[in-house]
Amino acid sequence: MNNDLSIGNGYGKSILYNEHFVVYNIPAIVSAIGMKTTATIYQSDRFQLVDERLETLGYKKEKQDHQKQSLQNMFKAMKLTPEQTKVKIMLLGDLVAASGIGASAASCVAIARALNNYYHLELSNEEINQVAYEGEKGYHGDPSGIDNTAATYGGLIWFQRTSGGSIMEKIKIKKPVEIVIGNTGKIANTKKAVEGVRQRKENHPEKYEDLFDEAEKLVYEARKALENFDLRETGRLMNENHRLLQEIEVSSKELDLLVNTALDTGAFGAKLTGGGLGGNMIALTPSKELQKKVANVIEKKGFKTLKTVIGISSGGKNS
Ligand code: PMV
């Protein structure tokens, strides 16, 4: 055992295309954002989790049971026994604990990395990702794995769930692009949102088949637009993706208001991001000036915003 404190980080994320569709093996694009959660481990006489992350009011309380289950899953996956884990884990960092920005996955990756460092487990990135995936199950039940993948590897990622696991490819873009994330202030229940889509898909198979076909076609065009650094097209396809998400009924009054406000203020594109029914909206706002302008107008309407970037390259192993 290591008596020194150990640290681990996990990136926040924003899904640029195809949340929900990704659950049904349709490719999605996700980007790590320039904010992360840090887990620090201190020696202690008992297990303690001290969660000092900033939060959307009520988020941490609401997720307390999920967090407990998530920790249990991760300890099991790391083959750590309760006797071994007499440690204090402190969660901090500049990623707000909120719905839709990968807060749970970032915390799972941060904890897995910190424990890996503390106990010298020598886990690879792939294994950290796997442990975090088990942790994510504590929050979401049957997650696609997109959040923990972004939180582990950082950067811009093409992600596809398959019957035998998942495919992940890095997408390279010319330079990071400014975004605004607008928070509805409503804590989203991803599990409920995913379940709602499943039920409606079962009840209206033909409608949903068409929508899912559109989502699949769109994401290939979006990848091309990003790789060509065609930000107008990237934004237009985000708007199209939001329309599809509205059609599968995972948007909300507040999310639509945030999207329309961002677009009216000059954003290149905007959509809900993550589970929806609350949580966050992402707007593509290339340039610091446009980013500031869009964030200011949203804040004037009483919503909180984050100004960050997509497409930052990832840090090294175990960072
Ligand atoms: O709510 P978030 O940020 O964890 O995003 C969930 C993304 C979904 O596609 C809705 C679910 C999943 O497991 O991929």
Side-chain angles (χ1 to χ4, degrees):
M1 189 200 287
N2 186 346
N3 288 340
D4 299 323
L5 57 83
S6 291
I7 292 179
N9 292 314
Y11 296 92
K13 69 97 204 357
S14 187
I15 299 179
L16 300 185
Y17 302 96
N18 278 356
E19 45 275 272
H20 286 287
F21 300 103
V22 70
V23 173
Y24 299 88
N25 298 6
I26 289 182
I29 298 178
V30 61
S31 180
I33 57 174
M35 288 161 178
K36 58 192 174 193
T37 293
T38 301
T40 307
I41 303 214
Y42 302 89
Q43 207 183 4
S44 173
D45 57 354
R46 66 195 162 97
F47 179 76
Q48 267 177 288
L49 183 78
V50 182
D51 193 343
E52 298 282 355
R53 292 173 298 168
L54 287 176
E55 65 168 336
T56 294
L57 201 63
Y59 177 94
K60 289 193 270 192
K61 190 150 183 276
E62 171 108 9
K63 305 280 176 185
Q64 224 166 32
D65 289 344
H66 291 170
Q67 194 176 47
K68 260 193 207 137
Q69 184 61 52
S70 166
L71 281 167
Q72 274 173 20
N73 292 358
M74 286 203 287
F75 287 151
K76 193 165 164 218
M78 296 178 103
K79 299 188 178 68
L80 290 172
T81 63
E83 297 77 52
Q84 272 176 304
T85 47
K86 283 182 182 153
V87 289
K88 178 168 107 178
I89 303 179
M90 167 104 83
L91 287 181
L92 247 173
D94 56 1
L95 182 72
V96 180
S99 306
I101 50 173
S104 60
S107 72
C108 291
V109 171
I111 291 170
R113 284 204 197 286
L115 287 169
N116 180 43
N117 292 339
Y118 189 77
Y119 291 113
H120 301 298
L121 301 177
E122 309 288 341
L123 298 183
S124 64
N125 267 336
E126 214 177 312
E127 288 165 322
I128 292 283
N129 194 23
Q130 198 51 44
V131 170
Y133 181 61
E134 293 304 315
E136 273 284 271
K137 288 183 185 169
Y139 289 93
H140 293 325
D142 180 26
S144 66
I146 189 168
D147 286 14
N148 47 279
T149 301
T152 301
Y153 294 100
L156 194 56
I157 291 172
W158 173 268
F159 179 89
Q160 186 173 16
R161 184 184 211 182
T162 67
S163 49
S166 58
I167 296 167
M168 105 81 193
E169 289 165 22
K170 285 257 181 174
I171 299 177
K172 286 209 172 66
I173 54 169
K174 204 158 81 184
K175 57 178 186 170
V177 184
E178 289 80 7
I179 58 163
V180 173
I181 292 177
N183 190 339
T184 61
K186 295 235 159 103
I187 299 158
N189 184 334
T190 297
K191 215 169 174 170
K192 206 166 133 196
V194 170
E195 180 52 25
V197 173
R198 195 189 61 74
Q199 268 171 18
R200 290 187 291 277
K201 190 170 179 292
E202 261 173 39
N203 294 341
H204 310 282
E206 274 159 29
K207 175 182 171 189
Y208 273 66
E209 207 172 297
D210 287 349
L211 292 169
F212 276 56
D213 284 349
E214 274 192 68
E216 179 156 24
K217 189 163 162 275
L218 182 148
V219 74
Y220 284 93
E221 289 173 26
R223 179 172 184 164
K224 220 183 282 164
L226 280 162
E227 284 171 343
N228 293 337
F229 210 66
D230 182 347
L231 298 181
R232 283 286 172 197
E233 180 67 357
T234 301
R236 186 188 71 77
L237 291 165
M238 284 170 73
N239 297 340
E240 278 301 298
N241 207 208
H242 185 67
R243 184 184 57 77
L244 295 176
L245 291 161
Q246 283 175 321
E247 296 250 19
I248 63 169
E249 296 177 45
V250 291
S251 192
S252 71
K253 197 164 64 9
E254 294 85 1
L255 281 165
D256 290 345
L257 172 68
L258 288 175
V259 164
N260 291 333
T261 305
L263 293 177
D264 290 347
T265 317
F268 283 29
K271 62 182 276 292
L272 70 87
T273 185
L277 303 179
N280 283 286
M281 176 268 339
I282 174 177
L284 191 70
T285 54
S287 90
K288 286 243 179 309
E289 296 72 40
L290 182 57
Q291 184 186 45
K292 203 166 151 195
K293 196 168 141 199
V294 169
N296 284 347
V297 174
I298 289 175
E299 278 175 18
K300 276 208 186 100
K301 296 207 170 183
F303 298 96
K304 291 220 165 69
T305 65
L306 293 175
K307 296 196 276 291
T308 185
V309 291
I310 53 164
I312 38 155
S313 54
S314 54
K317 188 173 178 275
N318 283 338
S319 65

